[in-house]
Amino acid sequence: MEHTRIKELLNATEFGQEVIVKGWVRTFRNNQFIAINDGSSINNIQAVVDFENTDDALLKRITTGAAVRVKGTLIESLGKGQKVEVKVTELDVIGDSDPEKFPLQPKKHSLEFLREIAHLRFRTGTFNAIFKVRNALSFAVHRFFNERDFVYMHTPIITGSDAEGAGEMFRVTTLDLNNPPRTENGDIDFKEDFFGKSTNLTVSGQLEGELAALAFGNIYTFGPTFRAENSNTTRHLAEFWMIEPEMAFYELEDNMDLAEALLKYVIQYALETCPEEIEFLKNRLLEEEKNKPAADRSEMDLIEKLKFCLENEFERVKYTDAIEILKRSKPNQKKQFKYLIDEWGADLQSEHERYLVEKHFKKPVILTDYPREIKSFYMKQNEPDALGRNTVRAMDILFPGIGEMVGGSQREENLDKLLARMAEVGIPAEEMEWFLDTRRFGSVPHSGFGVGFERLVLFVTGMTNIRDVIPFPRTPKNAEF
């Protein structure tokens, strides 16, 4: 007889049937009530043991964390908190758990402590809920693009190019670090390395995605990316996942429409498929916020915040207009912003993005047409404005509590403009001939964007630290597990 998953049993309407449950003990009360969880649900099933007729030695082995198999009759529960329970006829301990050593005893643990035991934190209700939502969002991303006939493209993880021009990359090498080969002028000779050149972990699949889009029309990538940015914050990871679609014959408006549709689709899917998990996370967040001063608490609970994004059209605002709003804003006038907005050309910080979304427009915002100097080389250049200022056809989508959720642009399809911009920022054209060929042979207007997947999971789960929404976070001085 096969075991039945607990999620299925909790929804059962027929009682009296014999069932087998396998899972891990969450609690064991009064030598009688075992709360068992098998990961299929954030909720446990209660198994009731006839302790008077059960071997004492066996009962002592039923400890938090132990893996058990119970066979018994599924009955309606008379106790509070559950509709069903199992009246046990057979009980086996599959794997023991020493209660003196098992760190997840049945009490409230801090998120900081759980990060230290990330290999075991999956067994808590909070992390069960987070990673179920992450799973649903991941599936929804693929479903969204599949329904729209996009081709899923696997772009390389090891690359010889820096897509963002950021320079903060992890080097990949097999050279002897104690005695690397050197050139005549003393530099490390990467021609002797495995790939015959200097290589790194990718910061983005975008450039390779563009190559595919200019053949298939519409493609997307969804994979790990890496930044060697020495940022120890609640918003940064060294290894994270990116969703990056690239579309031929798309201009900026089309790009914005697709990005807004994607975000609404995946949020809706999570709400529909993970109602228990999101309700649990909503209540967790409400409890957490009780410890904050009233002024720092969210105006909306988690579910209201998610519906707020679904029910509002995203406000589309040019960077130039946003700068004027921010310059006149109360936090700027009263010098409450950490980074004051004095003039056009400022690179917006999270505090500015959140002000626009949460205080001014009170809805998600798409900012467009940023100054050329603060954006990447590949973005399409606009004609200079009336004051001679240069902007690019960039767009960022800003969300409440998060700031930037999406960054994208129409790409520069004009070869001469692209070459000139690359020369300005010091990117050698000879290293990018493969990329420039797409502008030489049948170039077309095209666009794309990137969504930091962990930021999306952070938003949908209501968590406040990005290290809590990826299974094994990679951060400065931390690569455990």
Side-chain angles (χ1 to χ4, degrees):
M1 182 178 174
E2 290 186 7
H3 72 283
T4 307
R5 298 277 272 169
I6 286 171
K7 185 176 184 177
E8 196 179 319
L9 294 177
L10 293 175
N11 293 320
T13 52
E14 290 182 22
F15 303 107
Q17 57 182 309
E18 191 173 59
V19 296
I20 291 175
V21 174
K22 294 179 181 178
W24 294 270
V25 175
R26 285 281 174 88
T27 60
F28 183 37
R29 293 183 298 112
N30 303 343
N31 241 16
Q32 186 174 15
F33 304 109
I34 315 174
I36 304 173
N37 191 286
D38 66 358
S40 64
S41 170
I42 53 171
N43 298 308
N44 309 320
I45 197 163
Q46 180 166 281
V48 185
V49 182
D50 179 2
F51 64 93
E52 291 176 341
N53 295 305
T54 305
D55 181 26
D56 236 20
L58 180 58
L59 290 173
K60 282 184 178 145
R61 293 173 64 198
I62 304 170
T63 57
T64 298
V68 296
R69 171 192 178 275
V70 302
K71 186 176 183 180
T73 310
L74 188 70
I75 59 172
E76 271 191 279
S77 179
L78 300 175
K80 284 183 181 177
Q82 69 269 336
K83 291 188 296 184
V84 302
E85 60 189 26
V86 178
K87 191 175 180 183
V88 178
T89 54
E90 284 180 27
L91 171 63
D92 298 301
V93 175
I94 302 170
D96 290 282
S97 176
D98 184 342
E100 298 298 314
K101 295 179 180 174
F102 184 59
L104 276 180
Q105 292 306 312
K107 62 177 184 179
K108 191 171 174 62
H109 297 284
S110 71
L111 294 172
E112 289 79 8
F113 171 71
L114 293 173
R115 275 176 224 132
E116 292 171 15
I117 53 162
H119 57 302
L120 293 171
R121 67 180 179 171
F122 298 123
R123 295 199 196 180
T124 66
T126 297
F127 286 92
N128 182 296
I130 290 167
F131 290 110
K132 290 276 183 58
V133 172
R134 184 183 170 108
N135 171 67
L137 288 168
S138 181
F139 180 78
V141 166
H142 289 295
R143 198 169 90 158
F144 174 87
F145 286 116
N146 199 49
E147 286 174 1
R148 285 156 183 78
D149 204 26
F150 276 61
V151 174
Y152 178 31
M153 192 59 57
H154 296 137
T155 54
I157 285 174
I158 299 172
T159 176
S161 66
D162 177 357
E164 295 295 319
E168 295 162 331
M169 304 179 76
F170 289 102
R171 177 157 280 149
V172 175
T173 182
T174 58
L175 294 177
D176 179 354
L177 298 183
N178 293 316
N179 186 27
R182 297 196 177 269
T183 61
E184 287 179 7
N185 59 8
D187 295 332
I188 292 174
D189 187 1
F190 286 104
K191 285 182 180 172
E192 299 295 315
D193 208 347
F194 186 91
F195 293 106
K197 62 185 286 191
S198 173
T199 54
N200 309 282
L201 295 179
T202 184
V203 297
S204 167
Q206 180 208 312
L207 300 186
E208 293 88 353
E210 283 189 51
L211 311 182
L214 292 172
F216 292 102
N218 297 336
I219 69 98
Y220 74 105
T221 76
F222 186 4
T225 53
F226 308 85
R227 301 268 167 100
E229 195 177 340
N230 194 15
S231 294
N232 246 320
T233 75
T234 57
R235 292 161 50 84
H236 287 90
L237 291 166
E239 176 185 46
F240 54 97
W241 286 63
M242 287 283 284
I243 305 154
E244 296 181 292
E246 290 290 326
M247 296 75 61
F249 311 107
Y250 265 55
E251 301 201 10
L252 188 63
E253 287 290 330
D254 309 306
N255 206 27
M256 290 191 280
D257 290 344
L258 186 77
E260 182 172 343
L262 169 65
L263 293 174
K264 287 183 171 179
Y265 183 99
V266 298
I267 291 170
Q268 181 69 43
Y269 184 84
L271 281 167
E272 287 172 2
T273 58
C274 301
E276 286 186 346
E277 287 80 6
I278 291 176
E279 180 71 23
F280 175 92
L281 291 165
K282 179 193 86 170
N283 293 331
R284 191 207 72 84
L285 188 58
L286 290 172
E287 279 299 311
E288 189 181 81
E289 294 231 310
K290 284 179 184 174
N291 301 321
K292 292 183 180 178
D296 294 345
R297 292 177 195 166
S298 301
E299 292 176 18
M300 296 177 275
D301 71 30
L302 178 59
I303 293 173
E304 287 168 347
K305 189 174 71 170
L306 297 177
K307 289 185 174 173
F308 164 85
C309 291
L310 296 179
E311 290 161 5
N312 283 292
E313 293 297 312
F314 295 5
E315 188 76 29
R316 299 181 180 194
V317 186
K318 284 186 162 45
Y319 166 92
T320 301
D321 298 328
I323 285 291
E324 288 306 312
I325 291 166
L326 290 165
K327 274 166 69 174
R328 294 193 304 266
S329 71
K330 194 182 285 185
N332 202 58
Q333 303 270 348
K334 293 192 170 182
K335 297 188 166 32
Q336 290 165 344
F337 281 145
K338 186 179 177 186
Y339 299 94
L340 295 177
I341 299 291
D342 296 321
E343 58 188 24
W344 191 94
D347 200 353
L348 300 188
Q349 304 298 316
S350 178
E351 60 181 345
H352 308 131
E353 295 167 342
R354 290 186 60 182
Y355 174 83
L356 291 169
V357 174
E358 295 165 30
K359 303 296 183 195
H360 189 82
F361 291 107
K362 297 190 185 295
K363 59 168 75 171
V365 170
I366 310 183
L367 277 190
T368 67
D369 301 287
Y370 280 78
R372 186 180 68 179
E373 303 314 314
I374 61 173
K375 287 295 182 181
S376 296
F377 75 92
Y378 50 72
M379 296 187 177
K380 183 166 180 63
Q381 298 170 49
N382 290 315
E383 291 299 316
D385 70 8
L387 298 175
R389 298 179 298 199
N390 291 305
T391 59
V392 288
R393 304 222 75 200
M395 65 125 189
D396 287 350
I397 299 185
L398 315 178
F399 261 35
I402 295 281
E404 183 190 332
M405 178 68 79
V406 173
S409 73
Q410 187 171 334
R411 313 311 191 191
E412 182 57 78
E413 80 272 15
N414 182 293
L415 178 62
D416 294 335
K417 286 185 179 179
L418 186 59
L419 283 168
R421 184 73 183 123
M422 287 169 67
E424 278 178 26
V425 298
I427 296 174
E430 59 271 17
E431 288 183 14
M432 301 290 285
E433 288 298 325
W434 53 273
F435 180 69
L436 295 169
D437 271 354
T438 57
R439 275 64 171 179
R440 291 190 181 104
F441 310 120
S443 185
V444 301
H446 60 289
S447 299
F449 60 85
V451 185
F453 185 57
E454 280 71 28
R455 285 213 180 158
L456 177 61
V457 181
L458 203 63
F459 180 74
V460 178
T461 58
M463 301 303 289
T464 52
N465 192 320
I466 205 159
R467 300 172 194 208
D468 295 329
V469 298
I470 191 167
F472 303 106
R474 299 289 181 249
T475 53
K477 304 290 184 285
N478 175 51
E480 294 301 315
F481 316 110

